[in-house]
Amino acid sequence: MELIQQEPELSAYLVADEVMDHEHPLVRETARRLGAGTLDAYPYAAAAYAHVRDGIPHSSDTGDPRVTWRASDVLAARTGICCAKAHALAALWRAGGIPAGLCYQRLTDDGADPAVHGLVAVRLPGGTGWARQDPRGNKPGVDAHFSLGEERLAWVPRAEHGEVDYPGVHAVAHPAILRALRTAPDRPALWRNYPTAL
């Protein structure tokens, strides 16, 4: 699938905002510890990916009722759903001077219970363009890996179940996703109001 950069200027994918708050001390310290600022961006990008995928459990896997959405809060609480984890990874990459954007899929449970799934696209120096990554976290049946070649995402959308790959690479979090995350008092409430499509 050809990814579509939504903002013409690549600098938009380095900006710190309320969601990807990479100027926050915790984000900066985490980025420093993982190796931001090294001469080769690839090892840092891979380390940041592994840190979010493996070091921050998906709240559905652990039963954690807390809802996080801001990158620094995801890192501090060490929990979040896919989109929250995507915010944290994008912030870490941006903290290291690596352009990062948000991408989305519409997934279902064999056609039932549709929901939007969050991904991150990275653009490394000298690379061939945007490469989507899935920091959701692995578990039985889910085996995502950092890859700049062939995508190694958690899921490949199935058209027969109404699933969709959205091609946009967004510089900011989608408003519908952000609204659901920010207003949910807990994860059960989040699922009642979570977007089923974009």
Side-chain angles (χ1 to χ4, degrees), residues 104 170 172-182 195 198:
Y104 302 97
H170 302 270
V172 298
H174 193 283
I177 298 292
L178 190 54
R179 184 169 47 252
L181 290 170
R182 290 181 70 165
L198 296 181

Side-chain angles (χ1 to χ4, degrees), residues 3 13 19 29 34 36-37 75 79 81 111 114 126 145 152 154 165:
L3 297 177
Y13 296 89
V19 176
E29 172 53 28
L34 293 171
L75 294 174
T79 191
I81 67 164
H145 294 274
R152 300 286 307 275
D165 255 330

